[in-house]
């Protein structure tokens, strides 16, 4: 069985549910608040709950938030590749979910914002493995170049998965120009794909992304409740979503990405993996919190219509 090597950032979310965000200088009361592991943890939890072994290849800190991050990863069965905690604490993110189920983030990066090639070589990447690279990682000066150099040195037998996130807005940076030809799987939501490509719609975005990536790259663009689109070898296909009542969109995209990669690693074709990922994301939005991806049995039940 291949494994996922996740090179992103595990942080701690302070998750708060509010009716609406406050105006500047205003104040609102939250219905609930809790500290939860988040960031890259969400993708890893989704993957491991659906049968894919996962290694975290990011740093983790010394302090209360680092302790929470390690506890959460250990509880999920996620292997921590870099054994020794870094001196700063793990970072935090205030995650606000309003009555529309949309979420807003404010993050402060800690130990996870730095990494070295020596850190990344803590666990060997083997043929068939999936190396997951987050766009957030490319924004950290203490991490971006080392991660890029390590990724580009990987043999072609390793699958590189790229999730741009909301802050990587164009293909024009030197880092992106170097990374794009090495990406095997692109996974993003439609807003991210449209912003990155400057396209007017998803169909155009898929075509433009295909022009940036290697010829055999697999592109997945999520389209909210409508499901997702996949593009490979010049063919574009829509994979329908599942009708549910959403209460919290936090972590839904991560659930989709983790379950999609788990499906590919287990030998499913892109359409089958995307259908499972759509089911996982649909279930995730019916639950509060960041790491709400279901396990394989729940995904199977939704697909069967149970």
């Amino acid at each position: 069985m291949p494994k996922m090597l996740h090179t992103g950032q595990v942080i701690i979310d302070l998750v708060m549910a509010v009716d609406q965000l406050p105006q500047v200088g205003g104040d609102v009361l939250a219905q609930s608040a809790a500290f939860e592991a988040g960031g890259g943890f969400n993708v890893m939890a989704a993957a491991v709950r659906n049968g894919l072994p996962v290694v975290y290849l990011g740093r983790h800190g010394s302090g209360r938030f680092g302790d929470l991050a390690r506890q959460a990863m250990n509880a999920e069965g996620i292997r921590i590749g870099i054994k020794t905690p870094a001196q700063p604490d793990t970072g935090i993110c205030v995650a606000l979910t309003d009555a529309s189920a949309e979420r807003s983030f404010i993050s402060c990066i800690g130990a996870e914002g730095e990494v070295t090639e020596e850190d990344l070589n803590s666990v060997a990447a083997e043929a068939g493995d999936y190396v997951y690279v987050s766009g957030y990682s490319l924004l950290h000066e203490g991490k971006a170049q080392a991660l890029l150099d390590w990724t580009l040195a990987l043999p072609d037998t390793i699958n590189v998965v790229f999730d741009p996130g909301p802050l990587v807005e164009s293909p024009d940076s030197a880092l992106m120009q170097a990374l794009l030809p090495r990406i095997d799987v692109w996974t993003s939501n439609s807003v991210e794909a449209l912003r990155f490509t400057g396209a007017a719609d998803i169909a155009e975005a898929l075509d433009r992304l295909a022009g940036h990536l290697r010829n055999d790259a697999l592109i997945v663009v999520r389209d909210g409740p409508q499901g997702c689109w996949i593009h490979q070898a010049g063919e574009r296909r829509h994979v329908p979503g599942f009708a549910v009542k959403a209460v919290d969109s936090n972590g839904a995209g991560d659930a989709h990405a983790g379950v999609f990669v788990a499906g590919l690693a287990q030998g499913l074709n892109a359409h089958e993996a995307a259908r499972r990922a759509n089911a996982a994301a649909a279930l995730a939005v019916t639950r509060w919190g960041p790491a709400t991806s279901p396990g394989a049995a729940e995904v199977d039940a939704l697909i069967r219509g149970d």
Side-chain angles (χ1 to χ4, degrees):
M1 165 68 74
K3 62 183 179 294
M4 175 191 285
L5 298 165
H6 196 291
T7 65
Q9 293 72 238
V10 172
I11 60 177
I12 298 301
D13 288 346
L14 172 55
V15 183
M16 306 181 77
V18 297
D19 287 331
Q20 60 184 8
L21 299 181
Q23 296 179 344
V24 176
D27 192 1
V28 298
L29 294 177
Q31 287 82 49
S32 63
F35 285 109
E36 305 279 356
F41 175 78
N42 303 340
V43 173
M44 294 190 292
V48 77
R49 291 172 190 173
N50 284 268
L52 180 60
V54 176
V55 179
Y56 176 51
L57 268 186
R59 283 191 176 176
H60 44 100
S62 300
R64 61 177 296 198
F65 299 128
D67 290 344
L68 287 173
R70 286 184 292 276
Q71 289 167 10
M73 286 188 281
N74 287 330
E76 290 288 347
I78 297 166
R79 178 180 169 191
I80 299 175
I82 302 170
K83 299 299 183 184
T84 304
Q87 188 55 47
D89 202 354
T90 288
I92 61 172
C93 172
V94 178
L96 302 172
T97 302
D98 65 21
S100 71
E102 284 300 321
R103 77 284 188 278
S104 302
F105 295 150
I106 305 173
S107 301
C108 181
I109 301 302
E112 68 285 351
E114 296 189 2
V115 78
T116 66
E117 287 194 62
E118 182 181 0
D119 290 331
L120 294 165
N121 285 318
S122 297
V123 177
E126 300 169 310
D129 284 350
Y130 288 79
V131 167
Y132 197 100
V133 178
S134 166
Y136 285 107
S137 299
L138 303 182
L139 305 177
H140 304 314
E141 291 186 4
K143 183 171 188 175
Q145 193 63 53
L147 176 59
L148 177 64
D149 292 343
W150 177 81
T151 302
L152 295 181
L154 294 170
D156 282 344
T157 55
I158 308 297
N159 303 289
V160 175
V161 181
F162 183 62
D163 175 357
L167 301 181
V168 176
E169 297 186 345
S170 84
D172 297 333
S173 73
L175 288 173
M176 283 309 308
Q177 288 293 312
L179 181 60
L180 283 166
R182 184 58 188 88
I183 294 170
D184 297 291
V185 180
W186 169 288
T187 175
S188 74
N189 63 35
S190 59
V191 173
E192 294 159 353
L194 294 175
R195 182 186 299 122
F196 185 86
T197 60
D201 54 37
I202 292 177
E204 183 183 358
L206 289 167
D207 290 340
R208 290 192 180 186
L209 285 170
H212 288 300
L213 305 177
R214 58 200 313 168
N215 290 337
D216 58 348
L218 170 58
I219 303 167
V220 185
V221 174
R222 301 182 296 275
D223 192 19
Q226 285 70 47
C228 69
W229 291 83
I230 54 177
H231 186 290
Q232 190 173 37
E235 296 186 4
R236 184 169 62 236
R237 185 172 183 181
H238 179 245
V239 185
F242 295 81
V244 295
K245 182 178 180 180
V247 298
D248 183 2
S249 64
N250 188 8
D254 294 331
H256 194 282
V259 174
F260 183 76
V261 175
L264 295 179
Q266 292 161 5
L268 299 183
N269 63 39
H271 181 269
E272 292 169 334
R275 182 158 171 76
R276 293 188 63 80
N278 286 350
L283 289 168
V285 300
T286 66
R287 302 164 181 175
W288 289 102
T292 51
S293 174
E298 288 182 281
V299 172
D300 290 339
L302 181 59
I303 290 174
R304 289 194 307 265
D306 293 355

